[in-house]
Amino acid sequence: GTWIRAIVAPDVLRWLVALSCFAMAAWALKPDALDADAAPATSPHGVFAVTLVAFFLAEMGDKTQVATAILASRFGELVPVVAGTTLGMLIVDVPTVLFAGFAANRIPFTAIRIAAAALFAIVGVTALFSPMPG
């Protein structure tokens, strides 16, 4: 961000930020659509293996993995550290998934999309009319 701010003129940057926010506002209003004709994806490795790999790739390099690597190297106890961080993530993730499954049919997604779009639009307008920092 600092590098871009150094090479892009403040007025151009202001418009880029505002236009990006307006684009996100428009995108937030568009509901996700499932393709009814698409065949479900299958894998010879099973759902667990696919989920495990997808989760690892999505989370690779996040703070939890960095902290796990640092703790394991600091204390020289790879298995207990990995087991502890995995257990900690499961303690948080399992109730979250269960709650999401319960709440999914009760969440007013249209209202949430409208609120998110309005927030992005407000940030875009604010970006246009506020002085650039620095």
Side-chain angles (χ1 to χ4, degrees):
T2 302
W3 177 75
I4 290 174
R5 197 171 127 207
I7 64 170
V8 177
D11 286 337
V12 173
L13 187 58
R14 172 189 317 277
W15 279 98
L16 288 173
V17 169
L19 290 173
S20 296
C21 288
F22 296 143
M24 286 300 297
W27 190 14
L29 290 173
K30 182 184 179 308
D32 293 333
L34 297 174
D35 189 358
D37 297 336
T42 60
S43 169
H45 305 292
V47 173
F48 179 77
V50 171
T51 304
L52 181 70
V53 170
F55 182 78
F56 176 78
L57 292 175
E59 296 294 325
M60 191 165 47
D62 79 343
K63 290 179 275 196
T64 304
Q65 287 188 352
V66 172
T68 300
I70 291 169
L71 287 170
S73 66
R74 165 72 173 88
F75 295 106
E77 297 288 339
L78 178 65
V79 173
V81 170
V82 171
T85 56
T86 302
L87 181 62
M89 289 182 71
L90 288 174
I91 289 170
V92 172
D93 290 346
V94 168
T96 302
V97 169
L98 294 175
F99 175 75
F102 169 78
N105 295 328
R106 294 167 179 81
I107 296 173
F109 288 109
T110 300
I112 291 172
R113 279 194 299 275
I114 291 169
L119 287 173
F120 276 114
I122 290 168
V123 171
V125 170
T126 302
L128 282 179
F129 295 106
S130 296
M132 293 296 285

